[in-house]
Amino acid sequence: MLDYYNISDQYSEEEKLVASTARSFSEKYVLPVIEKYYSAGQFPMDLIKIMGELGLLAVTLPSKYGGSELNYVSYGIAMQELERGDSAIRSFASVQNSLVIYPILTYGTDEQKNKFLPKLASGEFIGCFGLTEPDFGSNPGGMLTTATKTNKGYILNGAKMWITNGSIADVAVVWAKFEGKVNGFIVEKGIPGFNSIEMKGKHSLRASVTSELIFNDCLVPLNNRLEIEGLRGPLSCLNQARYGISWGAIGSAIACYETALNYAKTRIQFGKPIASFQIIQDKLVWMLNEITKAQLVSYHLGRLKDKKIDRPQQTSLAKRNNVDIALHCARLSREILGANGILNEYPIMRHMANLESVKTYEGTHDIHTLILGADITGIDAFS
Ligand code: TGC
Ligand code: FAD
């Protein structure tokens, strides 16, 4: 796999093992079937248990809760390999690792941790994360979903939209306003007043389940509230997921680059392989250049995270840059394949379409521009 600066030589033995485990998983279980699931608009449910057994759903979770207890570089490496298969597989793992296990581990009570974490780690339970609403995407602080407290529990009312894994989830981490402040609640499948509907008609992330969650006087037990208040709760989870996405996007970019390179070396036009033409080489070198830079950014960010000296804005830079270059790699690769580039015989259009979602979710490209702009100028341009 593309590693022009031999970054993987810097990996520990444990990190190398994660790379080979996740790579073989993608090659053995994802690549042979993904086009079929993508076309059908379905998630390959039978892969969940295997990911759980391989430790890919709870990479950094302590082993006492059934996790792999590895570092953030390992988590990133795993996300890169999964997304080389498909963004939907990485999305599933991102949500489980960063958006469901992380908040329960970080803000949950011992009872919540013991009840939910082992089953989430093994894949017996599927999780989802409900922050976005129909009218509040980039600006989650405006959310309308509310929680009110009664003797019996918290009553949730409102709706969440675009929720990955929503209608297949056993456990939803849902953010709602309680007494005017954003709070997190663990909502279990099947409780009265909680419904989910799968969203159809996506041209992107077709192998991922995306759903609407509806709360209609939904009674959540008193002990299912997380111990965190304010928007920093959900945003702290996003820091973890955005970091993983920065690695994942490199996986998509590499899949496109390698397809284009192999194609260019064998496709003959004007009596020569198209790889011999300078314009084709320029496109390939642009990809090599940007993928290598992206790998260095994510690898170094992982080391910062492992030392706990990272800043959220550094994650914004990595997510923003890496998804953007990955999308551009997909477009250049598609051009190199000419008409063949649009066929599902090759993975390029699938990655290109997926990356359009990845560019939007977890903070759009432009929102990350504003986060970085505010950081360097001291001036907040959001409103
Ligand atoms: P702002 O006033 O800047 O901040 C509110 C409070 O939050 C704190 N904060 C953070 N804390 C931790 N990590 C971060 N990255 C943080 N950014 C801000 C901040 O210090 C403040 O704390 P406090 O204690 O003073 O109250 O917030 P704002 O209302 O101006 O909004 C700006 C913001 C940051 C929300 C916006 O820039 C943003 O990030 N919007 C994007 C929303 C988003 O990313 N949604 C993602 C939904 S989940 C998803 O997409 C999953 S896809 C899953 C998959 O399939 O992979
Ligand atoms: P909007 O916020 O309406 O933005 C529209 C456009 O306006 C964008 O280009 C944006 O950059 C721009 N814009 C907005 N505000 C500003 C500003 N202040 N200055 C300049 N430009 C601005 N959410 C979850 O909670 N959980 C999930 O699991 C989840 N999974 C998802 C899966 C998929 C496939 C997709 C597509 C989305 C998912 N999301 C999820 C939602 C995602 O996080 C939101 O789509 C994203 O945060 C953007 O919100 P929006 O789509 O409402 O766009």
Side-chain angles (χ1 to χ4, degrees), residues 178-374:
F178 171 56
E179 295 177 346
K181 290 193 178 141
V182 174
N183 272 251
F185 299 89
I186 304 173
V187 181
E188 293 169 76
K189 183 181 180 171
I191 64 168
F194 175 33
N195 286 302
S196 59
I197 304 167
E198 186 173 353
M199 297 171 67
K200 294 288 184 187
K202 288 181 298 169
H203 279 295
S204 168
L205 270 174
R206 286 188 51 74
S208 174
V209 174
T210 315
S211 315
E212 193 176 346
L213 309 181
I214 300 147
F215 305 95
N216 201 349
D217 286 335
C218 169
L219 184 66
V220 177
L222 283 171
N223 51 8
N224 275 25
R225 188 171 78 90
L226 296 172
E227 294 175 332
I228 179 74
E229 214 170 57
L231 205 49
R232 68 195 167 92
L235 291 173
S236 66
C237 308
L238 298 183
N239 294 335
Q240 313 304 314
R242 290 167 176 173
Y243 161 72
I245 288 171
S246 80
W247 279 87
I250 300 168
S252 286
I254 290 174
C256 295
Y257 164 83
E258 289 183 338
T259 305
L261 178 62
N262 290 333
Y263 186 90
K265 289 199 275 196
T266 53
R267 173 73 176 169
I268 309 293
Q269 288 295 291
F270 299 97
K272 294 177 188 166
I274 60 169
S276 65
F277 301 131
Q278 290 177 0
I279 291 177
I280 300 286
Q281 289 190 4
D282 183 50
K283 289 175 181 173
L284 291 168
V285 170
W286 190 91
M287 291 191 257
L288 169 72
N289 196 53
E290 293 305 320
I291 291 169
T292 302
K293 288 193 283 185
Q295 286 173 319
L296 288 166
V297 165
S298 286
Y299 174 72
H300 187 67
L301 179 59
R303 292 283 180 234
L304 296 181
K305 278 183 84 64
D306 281 324
K307 288 187 198 152
K308 297 188 172 50
I309 53 170
D310 60 304
R311 299 172 60 237
Q313 293 85 352
Q314 291 167 329
T315 298
S316 284
L317 188 148
K319 192 270 182 185
R320 177 183 182 276
N321 177 73
N322 294 8
V323 177
D324 198 45
I325 68 99
L327 193 49
H328 200 58
C329 286
R331 290 182 180 141
L332 290 176
S333 300
R334 216 290 302 150
E335 284 172 22
I336 291 174
L337 266 73
N340 278 326
I342 70 162
L343 290 177
N344 66 3
E345 196 181 316
Y346 299 96
I348 297 173
M349 284 294 283
R350 179 167 51 78
H351 283 296
M352 194 194 299
N354 284 341
L355 286 163
E356 289 290 347
S357 286
V358 181
K359 194 171 179 178
T360 286
Y361 69 36
E362 297 274 4
T364 67
H365 181 85
D366 292 341
I367 287 296
H368 288 296
T369 305
L370 298 184
I371 290 171
L372 290 163

Side-chain angles (χ1 to χ4, degrees), residues 142-158:
M143 70 175 65
L144 298 175
T145 300
T146 55
T148 47
K149 196 173 179 183
T150 69
N151 289 339
K152 291 184 185 159
Y154 294 93
I155 299 178
L156 263 58
N157 277 294

